[in-house]
Amino acid sequence: MSRTVIHGGLVVTASDEIHADVLIEGGRIAALAAHGTDPATSWSADRRIDATGMYVLPGGVDAHTHMEMPFGGTYAADTFETGTRAAAWGGTTTIVDFAIQTMGRSLREGLDTWHAKADGRCAVDYGFHMILSDVNESSLKEMDRLVAEGVTSFKLFMAYPGVFYSDDGRILRAMQRASGNGGLVMMHAENGIAIDVLVEQALAEGRTDPRYHGDVRKVALEAEATHRAVQLARVAGAPLYVVHVSADEAVDEIAAARHKGLPVFGETCPQYLFLSTDNLAEPGFEGAKYVCSTPLRPREHQEVLWRGLRNNELQVVSTDHCPFCFSGQKEMGRGDFSKIPNGMPGVEHRMDLLHQAVVDGHLSRRRWVEIACASPARMFGLYPKKGTIAPGADADVVIYDPGAEQTISAETHHMAVDYSAYEGRRVTGQVRTVLSRGVPVIEDRAYVGHAGHGTYLPRGTCQYL
Ligand code: URP
Ligand code: ZN
Ligand code: ZN
């Protein structure tokens, strides 16, 4: 059995910061021991990694990605191969992607399709959530089978009428089913029916630029949908995870629900923490690069999101990685913002941007690891296999240089998309080496992994319940 020792680093988990050496055996963490102590100095190993001056972190868990997602007549530009490779570059060793049920088809068919896309192609491990587009008797029954086999979370949409949208009755039925089978309902909380009216009015009045995407997707319509989702979950007796929360008033709804003791959880994304409507308003159609839903908000929302992350009103930061090239894809919406495919690239830079938040004083180091690694693993039934460094856990380990400076740019990133939403941004901190189940994927900033190393992860149910 191969043995690796990582020595000299500061091991940071959600609960601890310890100066310890880490022994990896057969792809799993075997032991931790204080630097210079007897067990650590006597460990034999096939490989020794010097982590002096570095952080030793659990691999990141990005619980919200859309590789090759069909949207608005095109497909997200990253395949499972390119997207998981980029994830590895950024210190993310697990993704949970969204398989999609097509209207009129079964969940099984959608899941099989996503398995076929990912199988043998991933650089790091992956699991699936299921998007429920067609809630009916048969798909409700299928939910039970999926939970039993490790697809334990289901996304529903209050937005996108005619595409993914479910009405309140369908949402309630899915939540009732989840309350019985242990599944977790993930909600895209925006009032899509009202938004579509505002879209039509904006276009009729000649307001066609990307910034109007943000204008019509009102804060009130995110907050209202979040409130409604909470009440429906409460009636169903089901837990609720609200995805890509961007608005201060939506955070308030989640906080109020949690204050009542309801099992309601919230996720936000780096784009809402670092970008704003100023980006959507960039001239010359540049704003299209920042079109996603929920939309970017005015800057003042950012402080509410940071506060929510600090005080656990929000539990998880995922990327909602859904990249579309500017050229040929985002451009489909020139003259009509509603035709710009919704989504932004980000899977590569979540760990770095959140480390920058540590540097800037928004988060502690342990909270960084918690919201990016441990909490998503717990939320989606992967802990402690993923999300921590402890004996028995998978040896998904990131050696992170907290002092390295880098400039984020499309010229140097590894995502298959022709722009960066963070072009030119200087950040402090960079991934040096990444192990996935003990196997190097990134070694001293060189990619040494391969497509097919990543394996499928059947998941347990939410561990916060
Ligand atoms: O704009 C986004 N978020 N695109 C991906 C689909 C979704 O709603 O998460
Ligand atoms: Zn969504
Ligand atoms: Zn998404």
Side-chain angles (χ1 to χ4, degrees):
M1 208 183 272
S2 92
R3 284 161 67 98
T4 301
V5 170
I6 302 169
H7 61 92
L10 177 69
V11 177
V12 185
T13 66
S15 56
D16 296 300
E17 300 191 354
I18 44 177
H19 294 277
D21 294 353
V22 180
L23 174 65
I24 296 166
E25 217 176 67
R28 297 203 298 166
I29 307 289
L32 280 76
H35 299 322
T37 58
D38 179 34
T41 50
S42 59
W43 284 335
S44 64
D46 311 296
R47 178 189 295 122
R48 289 184 180 277
I49 300 174
D50 183 3
T52 307
M54 306 277 160
Y55 298 156
V56 180
L57 311 172
V61 178
D62 190 343
H64 190 151
T65 68
H66 301 280
M67 306 303 171
E68 305 177 38
M69 183 191 183
F71 194 105
T74 185
Y75 285 84
D78 264 314
T79 62
F80 278 88
E81 181 168 349
T82 62
T84 56
R85 190 164 61 213
W89 271 104
T92 287
T93 51
T94 302
I95 63 160
V96 190
D97 203 89
F98 288 83
I100 301 181
Q101 176 199 23
T102 307
M103 192 57 92
R105 303 274 172 81
S106 67
L107 302 189
R108 172 68 51 199
E109 203 176 324
L111 186 57
D112 287 349
T113 304
W114 256 256
H115 271 297
K117 290 179 199 232
D119 188 29
R121 296 194 174 86
C122 292
V124 296
D125 292 349
Y126 63 98
F128 290 124
H129 312 285
M130 188 82 223
I131 287 178
L132 278 183
S133 314
D134 191 359
V135 177
N136 56 46
E137 268 318 303
S138 149
S139 56
L140 287 169
K141 283 196 190 108
E142 281 193 284
M143 282 174 77
D144 300 353
R145 290 197 284 274
L146 261 55
V147 170
E149 67 182 62
V151 178
T152 56
S153 36
F154 301 89
K155 184 173 177 189
L156 286 125
F157 289 77
M158 300 168 113
Y160 305 132
V163 189
F164 297 123
Y165 173 83
S166 292
D167 64 23
D168 290 354
R170 289 186 172 87
I171 289 169
L172 182 64
R173 281 181 199 281
M175 287 175 164
Q176 287 170 331
R177 200 76 188 196
S179 93
N181 64 26
L184 180 61
V185 168
M186 308 170 75
M187 189 60 72
H188 181 130
E190 288 187 291
N191 185 327
I193 301 284
I195 286 168
D196 273 9
V197 172
L198 299 181
V199 170
E200 201 184 301
Q201 291 169 348
L203 294 176
E205 290 160 15
R207 290 182 281 127
T208 60
D209 290 347
R211 71 189 148 115
Y212 296 109
H213 171 82
D215 249 28
V216 298
R217 304 187 90 91
K218 306 257 179 234
V219 166
L221 297 178
E222 182 182 344
E224 180 277 329
T226 305
H227 181 83
R228 192 157 31 101
V230 168
Q231 300 311 320
L232 291 169
R234 185 174 161 205
V235 168
L240 173 70
Y241 177 95
V242 185
V243 294
H244 48 52
V245 174
S246 67
D248 53 4
E249 291 179 32
V251 178
D252 293 345
E253 294 292 343
I254 292 167
R258 290 178 62 78
H259 192 66
K260 287 198 188 96
L262 295 170
V264 172
F265 308 99
E267 164 201 274
T268 191
C269 310
Q271 51 271 34
Y272 307 120
L273 295 163
F274 290 92
L275 304 173
S276 73
T277 42
D278 295 351
N279 298 100
L280 267 176
E282 284 177 15
F285 200 63
E286 285 292 295
K289 294 176 176 175
Y290 307 94
V291 165
C292 59
S293 299
T294 55
L296 301 184
R297 301 294 182 192
R299 263 174 214 281
E300 47 283 12
H301 291 251
Q302 292 172 359
E303 195 37 55
V304 179
L305 296 172
W306 287 122
R307 199 188 60 213
L309 286 170
R310 279 193 298 274
N311 66 18
N312 207 37
E313 289 164 352
L314 301 172
Q315 290 71 38
V316 170
V317 175
S318 308
T319 58
D320 195 6
H321 176 75
C322 190
F324 297 100
C325 288
F326 183 72
S327 166
Q329 291 192 298
K330 290 288 189 182
E331 281 178 335
M332 291 160 69
R334 271 191 200 277
D336 177 351
F337 68 84
S338 72
K339 296 203 164 61
I340 301 170
N342 284 202
M344 282 175 52
V347 76
E348 190 167 345
H349 295 116
R350 183 183 63 124
M351 297 295 283
D352 288 331
L353 288 164
L354 292 177
H355 180 259
Q356 185 59 41
V358 174
V359 173
D360 293 344
H362 291 298
L363 301 170
S364 70
R365 275 192 298 229
R366 277 174 291 149
R367 188 62 177 159
W368 167 44
V369 172
E370 188 164 26
I371 62 179
C373 313
S375 294
R378 284 198 165 104
M379 193 67 69
F380 298 108
L382 290 167
Y383 194 88
K385 182 178 167 69
K386 305 294 186 189
T388 192
I389 295 184
D394 280 359
D396 291 2
V397 182
V398 176
I399 318 292
Y400 196 82
D401 182 348
E405 304 247 323
Q406 58 166 319
T407 303
I408 299 176
S409 171
E411 306 224 318
T412 48
H413 76 201
H414 303 87
M415 300 174 286
V417 58
D418 62 359
Y419 75 95
S420 170
Y422 305 97
E423 187 66 41
R425 187 178 289 255
R426 298 275 298 161
V427 291
T428 303
Q430 192 173 48
V431 168
R432 276 229 69 79
T433 290
V434 177
L435 307 181
S436 163
R437 283 175 280 107
V439 176
V441 183
I442 304 290
E443 200 164 15
D444 280 329
R445 297 219 47 76
Y447 181 70
V448 293
H450 64 90
H453 165 80
T455 58
Y456 171 66
L457 296 165
R459 296 180 291 111
T461 53
C462 174
Q463 293 163 318
Y464 284 111
L465 302 171

